[in-house]
Amino acid sequence: MPTADDRELFDEVRELLAATVEDVSVEEVALDCDLKDDLGVDSLALLELVAAIEDRWQVQVPMDEAARLSTVREIVDHLSSVVPAPAGGAA
């Protein structure tokens, strides 16, 4: 079951995909969408998406890892493992 943080990551990934990939709208991005088959993400669009992810979350995504991310769920799972969770009020 996705946590609230995962849901937030998913929503942000959807928006990034829609902003980065031509002819993709937020509404058509589902958690189980295949990047290539369902959303038409080619190798160039994947590079742009990875750059946008790195910029948005200030993380590095090595190209060998990026090449293994084939679904929206895999991107969200990857981000949830590398992006620090928001601190619950702790400074």
Side-chain angles (χ1 to χ4, degrees), residues 17-34:
L17 274 161
T20 308
V21 182
E22 200 172 320
D23 298 330
V24 169
S25 68
V26 171
E27 295 77 26
E28 64 188 299
V29 179
L31 200 53
D32 291 314
C33 278
D34 183 278

Side-chain angles (χ1 to χ4, degrees), residues 15-82:
E15 299 211 3
L16 263 184
L17 274 161
T20 308
V21 182
E22 200 172 320
D23 298 330
V24 169
S25 68
V26 171
E27 295 77 26
E28 64 188 299
V29 179
L31 200 53
D32 291 314
C33 278
D34 183 278
L35 296 177
K36 191 160 112 180
D37 295 340
D38 298 327
L39 301 175
V41 176
D42 60 17
S43 55
L44 181 59
L46 181 62
L47 288 175
E48 292 173 1
L49 179 61
V50 167
I53 287 170
E54 290 177 336
D55 188 52
R56 164 61 187 88
W57 283 283
Q58 299 299 303
V59 295
Q60 288 293 312
V61 181
M63 282 319 296
D64 61 326
E65 276 184 44
R68 288 194 299 267
L69 300 175
S70 63
T71 67
V72 175
R73 182 183 303 272
E74 288 172 357
I75 293 173
V76 172
D77 289 347
H78 175 75
L79 285 172
S80 68
S81 72
V82 298

